[in-house]
Amino acid sequence: MATRGSKVERSSVSEQPHELKYEAKKEGTSPKKVEEAKKATGSNKRAVVEKKLEGKK
């Protein structure tokens, strides 16, 4: 159970549109590419998704 102020969610990218837009802007790509990277890696961990996106730049 997460407590107030927990930093658990910062390490993952959810399916929510604002999360995808944020990550896309941060990586200089589109939200669709972020979603594709999540599916390709099979993970929602931010570090794994960012590493996959680095290869697509």
Side-chain angles (χ1 to χ4, degrees), residues 13 17-35 46 49-50 53 57:
V13 182
H18 68 275
E19 287 262 350
L20 295 173
K21 284 181 190 175
Y22 169 79
E23 192 63 33
K25 184 177 179 183
K26 183 175 158 187
E27 293 297 319
T29 187
S30 70
K32 186 169 178 79
K33 294 284 186 189
V34 174
E35 198 168 1
R46 192 171 300 276
V49 173
E50 287 175 356
L53 287 170
K57 282 186 178 178

Side-chain angles (χ1 to χ4, degrees), residues 4-57:
R4 187 173 141 167
S6 176
K7 296 179 183 176
V8 174
E9 291 299 314
R10 290 185 183 180
S11 64
S12 65
V13 182
S14 73
E15 291 292 326
Q16 296 175 336
H18 68 275
E19 287 262 350
L20 295 173
K21 284 181 190 175
Y22 169 79
E23 192 63 33
K25 184 177 179 183
K26 183 175 158 187
E27 293 297 319
T29 187
S30 70
K32 186 169 178 79
K33 294 284 186 189
V34 174
E35 198 168 1
E36 289 172 1
K38 283 181 62 173
K39 287 179 183 176
T41 60
S43 174
N44 69 340
K45 297 284 184 205
R46 192 171 300 276
V48 174
V49 173
E50 287 175 356
K51 190 171 184 177
K52 177 73 174 176
L53 287 170
E54 284 178 6
K56 291 186 174 185
K57 282 186 178 178

